[in-house]
Structures are given as C-alpha cells and as structure tokens.
Amino acid sequence: MSSGTSNIKKSGKSEKSGKADAIASLSGIIIAAHGRHYLADADGLKLQCVTRGKKTNVAVGDSVQLTLTSPNQAVIDAIAERKTLLYRSDQYKSKLLAANLTQLFIVVATEPGFADDLISRSLVAADAAGIEAHIILNKTDVADLLPRTRERLLQYAQLGYPIHEVSARADPEHAIATLMPLLAGQSSILIGQSGMGKSSLINLLVPDADIAVREISAALDTGKHTTTFTRLYKLEQDSAQQATIIDSPGFQEFGLYHLSEGMLERAFREFSPYLGGCKFYNCRHLIEPSCAVLAAVAEGKITRMRHTLYGQLLHESAQTLY
C-alpha cells in the first residue's frame, strides 16, 4: 500500500515539474540583435535574451529555444537548424546578418553614388547561401541621373538579377504596389549603403516601424541615439503565409573571406556553363592555360569586372585566420 502511495506522489511531482518546464521553456524567433544582446518574439511575448557563456553565434531570424529567467528575460538554449545563413567576414572575424532568409534585396539609388563592388559581393554572398537576390533602384524621380544609373545596373540584369524601380518618397503607392507582392510569404532582408533610402522603404512597408525601433532600442538598452542594429518585422498581408522583412544597418564593405574556392566559382552564376571545361581539373580560372572561364572572359561572355572580383575574393579566402 505504501508503495502505491509513493508512486502517486512521484507522479504528481512529475506532472507539476512538467508544467513548470513548459512555462519556463519557450520557442521564439530572434527579431533584433545588438552586440551580445538579443530580442526574441515568443508568440507575441518580447523577451530580452542572452546566450550561455560568451557565444555570439545567434542571428536575427533564428528560431530558438528559450528558458525564462524573469517575466521579460530569457537565456537562449538552442538554435534550430537554419535553412540559410547570410553573413560577411573579414580576415579575423565574421558578422552574422540574418538566418532563414529566402530573399535579399540590395537597395541602390540614383543619388548618392553606390559602389559596384558592394553590389557584386552581396550578389555572390546570396548565390553562395542559396538566397534569391534582387536589386531595388530607389529615387527614380531624379530624372537627370536615371539613364546613367540604369546603364550601370544593366550588367546585373543581364546576369538574371531582377531590378525593381521605385521612388519611396515621390511615389510611395507605386513602391508599395511593386514590392509587397514580391515579399508575400517570403523572409527577406534589405541591405545597402547609407543614404540609399532603405529606411524610407521600410517605413512604407511597415507603417509602425518607427515605433518598433524605439521599443527595440529600449529593450536592447542601446540608447536613444543608437539604432544601428538588425531587426525583423512581420508584414501585415492578406496572404495566409507569414511574411517577414529584416532591415540591416548601412555598411560600405561586404567581406567574403569565408567562401572557399569551390564555393566562389559556383557563386558566380555566369561561370556555370564553363565549369568542368578547363584543361586542368583543379583550374583556379586565374592564369591557367586552356581555361574555359578565361576564354569566356576574352570573348566578352564574362565581364572583366566580375572576373577581377572573383580573383580578389579568391585571394581573400586564402588570408583567413579565424
């Protein structure tokens, strides 16, 4: 009889423990990151999060398992397997941009001037990560600069990257009508140099973005003047599929030191028809004789600018120290 009573008590304790564990353990998605501080959304509950130890391998867009430490704070216990991961790197370290993306939008404008190097590197990063890449040309109302800007972007259109022309301030309705269908059911990120109009586009697509930024700044304790963090917004759409868009701080460089030789040659989509056609199986497509890629460059089928970038990235990948 005493044995039966003991089993009942153990069962009751286990049930209470299970309920407590269910309350303490939550699933969420990382919606903002600043340094080692993160903000997660767990079914509408916003939680300030940290990692265990000194780990910083968490990205906005990550699906995570959390343990509550207070009503509005939690520890990140685990990161779910990522479908995609976009990040940049230099010789010494890497910077995670976002996880589980399906699309990348590079925002450029008629003014100020944009860097082709940044566009090309961003496109390579997207192709290497298996993320669809688009280019948004903003400020098309600056009519005198538009023809030259279109001419500069033509090389990317010829490679198959879609280019969408908008003017966030002069024609906001057209911008919304152009971009919203592209974002439906997707997990997208906007990247680009400062001054291209990324913030204007985000404010169009996410009407409460300014309010959200202030709330996130307060939650991450980044200070009222500091908003240089990556953040995720949920888009309100009629589509049954959830759509999200991630805004990232403007940056001038996109290091790709983490890409290996094999990854690089496959990330230049125009190389694809010629890979395997070189005389040497380990051809690096730089100075080797009977190289199919170099022959395509000589014939104008691959632009010299893109091939020069490939050589530069190949050199960078050999310098990695981390």
Side-chain angles (χ1 to χ4, degrees), residues 164-224:
H164 313 282
E165 296 190 358
V166 300
S167 181
R169 292 187 175 176
D171 195 349
E173 292 81 8
H174 173 262
I176 293 172
T178 299
L179 299 177
M180 273 301 193
L182 300 173
L183 300 171
Q186 303 290 328
S187 177
S188 309
I189 186 171
L190 291 187
I191 68 169
Q193 296 164 252
S194 299
M196 298 295 148
K198 253 186 336 91
S199 296
S200 297
L201 288 170
I202 287 290
N203 287 328
L204 280 182
L205 300 169
V206 188
D208 294 331
D210 284 340
I211 297 173
V213 166
R214 287 195 293 272
E215 291 176 346
I216 293 171
S217 294
L220 292 177
D221 194 27
T222 58
K224 61 182 179 180

Side-chain angles (χ1 to χ4, degrees), residues 48-233:
Q48 300 172 40
C49 302
V50 294
T51 56
R52 294 193 183 278
K54 295 183 178 180
K55 293 181 180 179
T56 56
N57 61 334
V58 183
V60 171
D62 268 330
S63 295
V64 293
Q65 201 66 31
L66 306 164
T67 296
L68 281 178
T69 55
S70 75
N72 65 342
Q73 294 181 322
V75 173
I76 299 170
D77 290 318
I79 303 170
E81 184 177 353
R82 295 160 172 154
K83 297 175 183 176
T84 58
L85 178 64
L86 183 69
Y87 64 105
R88 52 196 178 104
S89 58
D90 59 23
Q91 189 173 358
Y92 305 101
K93 61 183 179 180
S94 61
K95 170 72 174 177
L96 303 185
L97 291 176
N100 300 314
L101 294 168
T102 58
Q103 296 184 132
L104 175 146
F105 289 85
I106 305 164
V107 182
V108 298
T110 50
E111 62 177 5
F114 57 84
D116 281 303
D117 183 69
L118 183 65
I119 295 176
S120 294
R121 285 168 174 267
S122 301
L123 294 173
V124 169
D127 280 345
I131 300 166
E132 186 178 344
H134 299 246
I135 297 173
I136 297 174
L137 171 56
N138 192 22
K139 306 182 186 180
T140 54
D141 54 302
V142 185
D144 56 328
L145 298 177
L146 188 55
R148 172 58 181 150
T149 307
R150 284 173 171 164
E151 185 181 340
R152 287 182 63 190
L153 295 177
L154 183 60
Q155 61 179 316
Y156 306 112
Q158 291 173 337
L159 288 172
Y161 298 105
I163 298 174
H164 313 282
E165 296 190 358
V166 300
S167 181
R169 292 187 175 176
D171 195 349
E173 292 81 8
H174 173 262
I176 293 172
T178 299
L179 299 177
M180 273 301 193
L182 300 173
L183 300 171
Q186 303 290 328
S187 177
S188 309
I189 186 171
L190 291 187
I191 68 169
Q193 296 164 252
S194 299
M196 298 295 148
K198 253 186 336 91
S199 296
S200 297
L201 288 170
I202 287 290
N203 287 328
L204 280 182
L205 300 169
V206 188
D208 294 331
D210 284 340
I211 297 173
V213 166
R214 287 195 293 272
E215 291 176 346
I216 293 171
S217 294
L220 292 177
D221 194 27
T222 58
K224 61 182 179 180
H225 299 299
T226 306
T227 57
T228 55
F229 52 85
T230 305
R231 59 266 198 186
L232 178 149
Y233 305 101

Side-chain angles (χ1 to χ4, degrees), residues 228-245:
T228 55
F229 52 85
T230 305
R231 59 266 198 186
L232 178 149
Y233 305 101
K234 292 181 179 179
L235 293 177
E236 294 182 5
Q237 296 183 320
D238 294 333
S239 171
Q241 292 179 295
Q242 178 67 60
T244 59
I245 187 165

